[in-house]
Amino acid sequence: MKFSGTVFRYGRDVDTDVIIPARYLNSSDHAHLAAHAMEDIDPAFATTVKPGDIIVADENFGCGSSREHAPVAIKAAGVSCVIAKSFARIFYRNAINVGLPILECPAAVDAIAAGDAVDVDTEDGSIVNRRTGERFTAEPFPPFIAEIIEAGGLVERTRAKLAAADAAAGAPAPAGE
């Protein structure tokens, strides 16, 4: 997967409470969550983020509560991927589960500023800062994680696998599909 976007830059310990404040957790509507993404740390984020933009952050991105709403809000806002020095473990797993690509690359984080244009290729882990021409390499996703992200998340991957298995077995598709 390849992405190009403008960077929104944040510091360390960006917790899920500022990614999507608890006052909005009574909704599972992705558009509603996107409208409030990052508002407690960056009030202009939801109105300035464009599809394909990239979040770059220091250590421990996504710490705090284990709410799946956090990566959902970021993805629904149009963010193509998040690059950080490190991620909180539960956020990392939730991001993969909802199909939000995340990459750990401390050297890239140190060299990328807010507003930089960045190209990312998750297949080889390359990250290129178009402003400076600097190139960095993150660990590429293992094939099974790449498959989950490419499918749009774990639920979508599972649906596709079940549909393929049903088709191979000659079972009729469920009603409504």
Side-chain angles (χ1 to χ4, degrees), residues 43-95:
F45 178 82
T47 58
T48 57
V49 68
K50 293 177 182 52
D53 283 348
I54 295 168
I55 289 177
V56 174
D58 290 326
E59 298 89 351
N60 205 24
F61 188 85
C63 59
S65 303
S66 61
R67 58 184 67 148
E68 193 172 84
H69 291 72
V72 166
I74 291 170
K75 183 179 176 185
V79 170
S80 63
C81 70
V82 180
I83 303 166
K85 289 185 178 182
S86 65
F87 293 91
R89 182 187 56 81
I90 193 72
F91 180 88
Y92 185 93
R93 189 65 238 176
N94 283 338

